[in-house]
Amino acid sequence: MRTAIFGGTFNPVHNGHRNAVKKVLEAVELDRVIVLPDRIPPHKEVKELASEKDRLAMLELTFSQMPETEISDYELRREGKSYSVITLRHFHETLPEDKLFFIMGSDMLLTFSKWYCWQEILSLCTLICVSRCDEDTQKLEPCAQDLRQCGGEVIIVSAEPFEVSSTQLREMIRKNEDCSCYLDENVVKYITDNNLYGRGI
Ligand code: ATP
């Protein structure tokens, strides 16, 4: 199987995430995308982090209409920091027949050479990158070229960026602004019903 991993904090998951997966599925032949929320160690201060249960629930709601996706709690169950290389080693061992891909936004590709064990990550999977903003788009191909020279496989998916971040949305929710074009409608309801991120929408 051709299996892609898509990790993140997803606090909350938004339409930029869903759009990225949709564009990747249109551009790259994949059998499934495993979406993994990461575990934040208790000592690390993350502002307004929703609980694991809430982040998982919002992911289920957002990706429920995309049959190629499945949500995994693997990183939530594992102790310690969620290093991507550890996750990739895990899937490499448990899915030995699969070809692995790793989906990321452009902010992640542009800082990839600072990641823990990035060379090993390149040996374990093909990177797939989706641009988050026009400014990043032009930097992606040279960055991919550098990683290819290190032996990596990198696919840049050309798609119009969907500019939004979870940070921006937490701020908008707190100010009671309308985020309905950035979030799945069921996620909007979930946030309101559970009074996440400060105020209801
Ligand atoms: P925060 O603002 O809290 O840092 P975020 O919006 O960057 O959050 P993450 O959960 O950290 O979201 O992102 C998970 C993955 O999704 C990362 O690879 C990130 O680059 C990618 N991503 C996030 N937003 C977008 C977007 N709008 N378009 C494409 N990729 C995105």
Side-chain angles (χ1 to χ4, degrees):
M1 287 240 260
R2 292 164 65 87
T3 299
I5 311 291
F6 184 42
T9 307
F10 303 116
N11 184 40
V13 60
H14 51 66
N15 290 344
H17 298 125
R18 186 167 57 192
N19 182 62
V21 172
K22 187 166 165 279
K23 295 295 172 192
V24 167
L25 284 167
E26 284 167 12
V28 185
E29 200 188 319
L30 293 172
D31 296 300
R32 60 176 161 180
V33 176
I34 302 177
V35 185
L36 291 114
D38 57 18
R39 178 175 180 277
I40 311 290
H43 55 269
K44 186 176 167 193
E45 204 199 320
V46 177
K47 270 199 204 154
E48 302 165 308
L49 180 66
S51 71
E52 295 178 354
K53 174 180 147 285
D54 289 333
R55 288 185 295 137
L56 275 173
M58 292 187 282
L59 281 166
E60 295 285 358
L61 292 170
T62 299
F63 287 107
S64 63
Q65 305 298 320
M66 291 175 77
E68 306 88 345
T69 61
E70 53 192 80
I71 315 298
S72 164
D73 64 356
Y74 167 72
E75 288 193 351
L76 298 178
R77 283 187 282 108
R78 202 183 65 208
E79 283 292 308
K81 201 170 179 323
S82 299
Y83 285 116
S84 300
V85 71
I86 298 175
T87 301
L88 281 159
R89 281 180 200 147
H90 164 78
F91 284 107
H92 183 67
E93 275 167 35
T94 53
L95 305 170
E97 306 290 317
D98 286 23
K99 176 165 173 59
L100 296 179
F101 297 79
F102 193 91
I103 301 173
M104 60 177 69
S106 46
D107 53 324
M108 296 293 157
L109 190 77
L110 293 173
T111 53
F112 184 73
S113 58
K114 296 197 175 72
W115 286 26
Y116 176 62
C117 296
W118 63 272
Q119 288 102 332
E120 187 181 344
I121 296 178
L122 290 182
S123 73
L124 289 168
C125 67
T126 297
L127 305 184
I128 305 178
C129 179
V130 181
S131 185
R132 292 186 66 162
C133 61
D134 290 333
E135 200 194 333
D136 284 359
T137 306
Q138 24 187 319
K139 300 182 194 152
L140 291 181
E141 205 38 66
C143 176
Q145 212 45 48
D146 288 346
L147 295 172
R148 288 181 193 121
Q149 264 162 18
C150 299
E153 287 177 27
V154 186
I155 299 170
I156 308 289
V157 171
S158 57
E160 192 61 30
F162 189 110
E163 281 195 49
V164 65
S165 71
S166 299
T167 304
Q168 176 193 337
L169 289 172
R170 291 193 301 273
E171 177 81 13
M172 288 175 73
I173 293 163
R174 205 176 51 244
K175 292 184 185 158
N176 220 18
E177 291 173 10
D178 179 12
C179 318
S180 51
C181 60
Y182 296 121
L183 296 168
D184 183 279
E185 60 179 329
N186 293 312
V187 170
V188 173
K189 185 169 183 326
Y190 188 93
I191 290 172
T192 309
D193 290 351
N194 293 279
N195 200 21
L196 303 183
Y197 309 116
R199 289 180 73 171
I201 294 179

